[in-house]
Amino acid sequence: TARAFFNHHLERPLVFYQGVFSRWQGAFYEELSDASLRADIYAFLDQAQLKPNARRVSDVVDALKAQTNISEKFSPPCWLQSGVPARGLVVFRNGALHIEPGAPPELTPHDSGLFVTAGCDYDFDSATPAPARWLRFLSDLWGDDSLAISMLQEWFGLMLVSETRLQKMLLIVGPRRSGKGTIARVLHGVVGPAQIAAPTLGSLAMPFGLAGLIGKSLAIIGDARLGQRTDEQVIAERLLSVTGEDAISIQRKFLPDWTGQLGVRVMMLSNELPRIGDASGALASRLLVLILRRSFEGREDSRLTDELLEERAAIAAWALEGLARLRERGHFIQPDSGRDALDTVGELGSPVAAFIADECELRPDAQVSVDDLYS
């Protein structure tokens, strides 16, 4: 019965990965809830004149798990037959765009043999003109700070592909109504809603705090402030694990723990520099910082986001230009406009390290009494 059900849905194949079923939607695989799957099986059994009941449906579900199971060694995006990663690939509505270093982008038809769990909900067009409205908006934000705009372009491009090797996260700091939210909404639209998670910084310290990041390519933290009772050490540890490409075991409600390497990248927005306790200073070394100084409060344009999202395809092409530049260079360049803020984040996270840098001289032969050091 399970094989008959599976064959009946050949145009919309099923896969079972890390305790969850996903179904092919024509461009990518989308998570299928247990209730939806069981409803489909009930309908199929009834149509096949096999009297459906809870036990028979559960038997079909168990058989489907065995028949469609994908090894936990696989990590999407990858090819189902071989498990080979497909990192340089972006799924658009009109095809899969292959972006390999040193080769021109190639758009190919969608393929259910590619295990990818999200995609962009618009067409890609390499001949689209430059996104004039978007570029004018960035000029309004940063003026002649071309390094800041270039870094944002490279970040947008990196978010379109599943690459985590640079081990960086982005922090955008600015006053109210300075453009942070608009940048996030445009990136949300360019990358695709299915690929975005929106946790709070404090939620990362919760038992199931990382579960919502599974299968996502970007986590946008809209407010990087922390409450007094939040465990900063746990947040720092988890951010370091995610950005450091470590294997993680993640608790999930009513499901087995998920184990693997998250492909999510982290972007934080804040009105002020965040204070995340990290005595090692490693977290600050993973940060890229962009500073916004102008506030448009009282002069907001309610149509701005919609106007910018009309240029999604053009912004995607612009972003891929930044990705090509980033890949050729191999690393981001932190703009000077954000360097002081980056140093301050490190000092806020590790007061001991800040004290040593400001007040101490480190030499192999140096010594000081405890009383003098304390004073």
Side-chain angles (χ1 to χ4, degrees):
T1 303
R3 184 173 294 277
F5 177 83
F6 182 78
N7 291 337
H8 181 70
H9 291 78
L10 281 178
E11 294 182 359
R12 300 181 68 191
L14 286 170
V15 296
F16 185 69
Y17 177 69
Q18 294 272 26
V20 175
F21 280 101
S22 295
R23 174 178 283 166
W24 176 248
Q25 297 295 335
F28 54 87
Y29 284 87
E30 185 175 60
E31 185 174 318
L32 182 66
S33 70
D34 182 68
S36 295
L37 177 62
R38 294 179 73 87
D40 285 351
I41 294 173
Y42 264 97
F44 175 77
L45 293 176
D46 190 51
Q47 186 179 11
Q49 298 182 348
L50 295 171
K51 186 177 179 180
N53 56 51
R55 180 177 177 179
R56 178 167 284 174
V57 170
S58 295
D59 288 344
V60 173
V61 171
D62 289 341
L64 283 172
K65 290 178 181 178
Q67 190 168 345
T68 63
N69 185 62
I70 298 175
S71 170
E72 293 182 356
K73 296 179 181 179
F74 288 20
S75 181
C78 66
W79 296 98
L80 284 172
Q81 193 166 0
S82 62
V84 173
R87 302 296 183 193
L89 185 145
V90 189
V91 175
F92 290 96
R93 192 169 55 190
N94 59 336
L97 187 70
H98 298 259
I99 311 166
E100 299 298 337
E106 180 185 6
L107 193 68
T108 62
H110 295 300
D111 186 346
S112 61
L114 174 66
F115 183 37
V116 60
T117 56
C120 303
D121 59 351
Y122 57 94
D123 293 342
F124 177 76
D125 181 5
S126 59
T128 187
R133 184 67 183 91
W134 170 248
L135 295 177
R136 190 163 71 251
F137 167 69
L138 297 182
S139 179
D140 289 341
L141 298 186
W142 280 292
D144 58 358
D145 189 352
S146 59
L147 279 179
I149 296 174
S150 293
M151 191 176 82
L152 186 70
Q153 181 183 18
E154 293 167 6
W155 179 260
F156 266 56
L158 187 64
M159 295 308 99
L160 284 171
V161 296
S162 300
E163 293 183 13
T164 56
R165 60 185 176 84
L166 295 180
Q167 301 187 358
K168 291 291 185 180
M169 52 187 167
L170 178 64
L171 170 64
I172 303 180
V173 181
R176 292 186 305 172
R177 303 292 187 268
S178 58
K180 303 185 300 295
T182 302
I183 292 172
R185 288 189 292 273
V186 171
L187 184 55
H188 188 281
V190 170
V191 173
Q195 305 194 66
I196 305 291
T200 63
L201 194 55
S203 71
L204 299 182
M206 305 300 288
F208 304 104
L210 295 180
L213 307 187
I214 297 171
K216 304 298 184 181
S217 66
L218 175 61
I220 299 178
I221 299 172
D223 187 348
R225 291 178 294 182
L226 290 174
Q228 292 183 350
R229 297 185 179 181
T230 306
D231 193 330
E232 297 179 21
Q233 298 297 325
V234 172
I235 292 174
E237 175 187 320
R238 291 185 171 179
L239 286 174
L240 287 171
S241 295
V242 170
T243 56
E245 303 181 287
D246 298 336
I248 310 174
S249 289
I250 299 174
Q251 291 179 286
R252 298 182 293 177
K253 284 186 178 180
F254 313 119
L255 288 171
D257 287 359
W258 184 94
T259 301
Q261 177 189 322
L262 287 172
V264 69
R265 281 69 54 90
V266 179
M267 173 176 164
M268 296 185 287
L269 313 176
S270 183
N271 294 338
E272 57 190 34
L273 295 175
R275 182 193 299 269
I276 305 174
D278 174 36
S280 70
L283 194 62
S285 71
R286 302 275 174 88
L287 275 176
L288 302 165
V289 180
L290 289 174
I291 301 295
L292 295 168
R293 304 192 185 279
R294 296 180 61 192
S295 173
F296 297 89
E297 191 166 12
R299 296 175 290 143
E300 300 94 335
D301 182 354
S302 60
R303 301 168 299 172
L304 178 60
T305 298
D306 291 337
E307 291 175 359
L308 294 175
L309 288 176
E310 290 176 0
E311 297 184 320
R312 282 184 304 173
I315 294 173
W318 169 84
L320 292 176
E321 292 176 7
L323 175 64
R325 184 172 63 244
L326 178 63
R327 281 175 165 176
E328 184 177 358
R329 188 192 314 121
H331 60 87
F332 284 101
I333 297 177
Q334 169 64 54
D336 291 338
S337 56
R339 197 170 298 280
D340 288 344
L342 181 58
D343 293 340
T344 302
V345 170
E347 293 172 359
L348 291 172
S350 180
V352 173
F355 167 78
I356 291 173
D358 290 346
E359 303 294 338
C360 301
E361 182 180 342
L362 301 180
R363 294 199 316 268
D365 60 336
Q367 57 182 310
V368 64
S369 72
V370 173
D371 290 342
D372 287 346
L373 182 63
Y374 183 81
S375 297

